[in-house]
Amino acid sequence: MKMPSLLGPFVRCRFSATLLVLWLAFAGFTCTAGSEHTATATLPAAFSDLLPHFLVEPEDEYIVKNKPVTLTCRSTPATQIYFKCNGEWVHQDDHLIERTVDPATALPVMQVTIDITRQQVEKIFGLDEYWCQCVAWSTTGTQKSQKAYIRIAYLRKNFEEEPQGKEVALDQEVLLRCHPPEGVPQAEVEWQRNEDVIDPASDPNFFITTDHNLVIKKARLADTGNYTCVAKNIVARRKSTSATVLVYVNGGWSTWTTWSSCSAVCGRGWQKRSRSCTNPTPLNGGTSCEGQNVQKSACVATCPVDGGWSEWSKWSACGADCSMWRTRECTQPSPGTGGKECQGLDLQSLNCTSEQCPQTVSGAEDVALYVGMVAVALCLTLLLIVVVLVYRRKKEGLDADVADSSILTTGFQPMGIKPSKPENSHLLTIQPDLTTTTTSYQGTLRSRHDATGKFSMTNGPLLDPLPNGSHSLHNGKLNSDPAEFVSRLSTQTYFKTLPRDVANTSYGTFNFLGGRLTIPSTGISLLIPPEAIPRGKIYEIYLTVQRKEDLRLPLAGCQTLLSPVVSCGPPGVVLSRPVILSMDHCFDACLDNWAVRLKKQNYEGVWEDVLLMGEELVSEPYYCQLEAETCRLFSEQLGTFALVGESLHMGAAKRLRLVLFSDAYCSTLEYNIRVYCMDDTQDVFKEVMQMERQLGGRLIDEPHVLLFKDSYHNLRLSIHDMPQAHWRSKLLAGYQEIPFYHIWNGSQRYLHCTFTLERLSLSTCELTCQLCVWQVEGEGQSFSLDFNIAKDTRAVDSEFLLMDSNATALAGPSAFQIPYLIRQKICSSLDAPCPNGADWRMLAQRLKLERHMSFFASKASPTSVILDLWEAQHFHSGNINQLATVMADIGKQEAMIFLVSDGEC
């Protein structure tokens, strides 16, 4: 056997020649080693023929940072063990040798270890891998161990591919990719969700592929979170950037509810059913349900049938108790569909005499009975005569001042159209007096009797009677001092909380002829139809608009105030017919988007829901007719009212009015533009205009309307495109923002923000810019402003205040366009049902009021209610001749009363 060339110098024997050492080894001689690193030994003769057998072979190792690794080799029986690394023998001084004896076999065991440093490995970096193996000798031969590879361990910082965030639908599969950084040894990968390790064994919804990607088989809501890929080996641990997985849920409709009951008590109406977007509810940005959440369908309600009595049966035979009887039944017709039962008795009895009844002899007692009965009859007759006389005297006293027919034709306007058929001239039964130069009614609305008797009330408190006991009318207008009325009004117990705002209060004294109250420039009016006040009664009625901050109107959730708060009274007055309260509203008038409720304040100051718009019941004392910008409230009671809306989904929108003001005069470099954001109602606009007039402001642009949606996003305003050479903005931020709830709540009358600009020279007067107003993540508007701040010094005046020139209170016929007697004739003509439909129903259709057929049908005079609504809608703009044309189209010749030519008058 050939020994390593380096072996001779390592053995410290007296023999230095290589051949001598080999001879000694094979001959069984031993040398005396000078240290523990001696690599030779003598084997017993019994084991001299055995080859070395490795008990431990060197394993692959990684050098971490600068720490050396240790390689171990153990063999039996062995006389020598040496390491060879990368083809070169390791110096004997680098070996550490241990010798033991195996107790089981008594064989000698030799173990050799060496240390490998980072520097040794780096010397051959890039040439080949660094490896080591050990060689063991015995007297019989040699054995080589397996190669052990030594590598320098590392892990780079940057991931080759990091996971990316995703938005996924519920139950959708999710794949998050991860390619860990390069490293030796290759990095192991684990996934974390919100810093918690994901274990696919415990949650089978997760799966990690062989190339380290994470698969979520079916995304659940609980799987929403931040996912991190973690790579680690013996050197380091690296984390990827977190990837946010958002599991969203698209909304789904619930099942439809059952159809509601028909809105009409009698005849044609509608019913509805609803569903909600809760199956499931949209989450994490999922899409809302498409389609309508409310469905309406026409329906026909069977009209209630009141019961009627049949004929009385024949009298029975006279019984032993000296009485006979007869019966009737409630079968002509039988009551049905909620109709009333028959009123009265179904059994009558009568005293009688017959052979079965003992006969009695009439005596003095019978005579006295008859005399008493005659006396009672005489007394009742006299009492009836007295009542009739008193009634006739009262009626003569009340109607004495309205006997002149001119009061019934006041407001009559002729039309220069001749009747097409002269033979119908006899229908002109009421000739208007057009020769007089005035349409005034001179007289009193009170009877000649004591005023206190006319003012008796049982349903609630009224104002104290006026001191002089009467009111005179001139040209249909009421004369009195507004301040004196408001002062006297506030002394009443119920009215102490009313505002003492003379400018926003109207009042008047009215009797059965009715009248009208109007608050100028607010769109608020109260129509008191004829016969609404019972004959013989005289009421002093007021109308006022409340400041919203003066009231505690309870609003919850998404509720918002949609109208001014209006009071009319006094509450508790007895009305024979409903009055019509007109007021503006500020929503899109689409009841599919809103649940709008009418609220009324009771005597204790508590607000109560009295009506859900769109589900009015004709049997209730309130009914609403909704128009694009106005609400007409039919009310049988006076009080304080307001409209409150709750959005049904995010498509609901309020109308906002944007108004721009600036200083009328500017002598400094600073210039302010004030932008008001308010509900689109005339009363708020009037208040802002009055305030700006006091501040000396001027209107610099026409008002604009903006739809503000229930999206929880704020309103932003900004100014752009100013000439930078002449102007600059002093605002630090790029825009101003009004919080959503400040606008949506509606409890604040108006909101505004101020843009402070600065001109670089006092000679600069021209200002051009763009004002942008938008709702965050919504639509907006842009307004171009171009004006001269020096020349255009027009302050706010009455032209922009929209001041009404009409009187605030009109009593009697002057408050109506249709003369009183003509109105009565139209009602008598159209109230009666007509087989061909030419009655009040056709009038409602021609006036586009067919939606309210059930309400009109529930009234004693449907035509009268239709005409009341027409008067409320067309007081300023109505043309009575257009109404006459509608009457002519219906085929009622009574309409010819309107068509009076100038020549025939």
Side-chain angles (χ1 to χ4, degrees), residues 32 43 65 67 124 140 162 178 247 323 330 398 431 471 536 578 585 611 654 707 770 815 900:
T32 302
L43 296 176
K65 298 182 180 179
K67 295 179 181 180
I124 63 166
T140 306
E162 292 188 299
C178 177
V247 181
S323 65
C330 189
L398 178 63
Q431 291 292 340
H471 268 287
H585 65 77
L611 175 67
K654 287 183 67 173
L707 291 180
Q770 289 280 337
V900 182

Side-chain angles (χ1 to χ4, degrees), residues 598 600 610-611 617 620-624 633-635 637 641:
L598 176 69
K600 181 177 181 291
V610 296
L611 175 67
L617 298 177
E620 297 294 329
Y622 308 100
Y623 189 86
C624 278
L633 171 62
F634 291 82
S635 176
Q637 301 174 6
F641 300 95

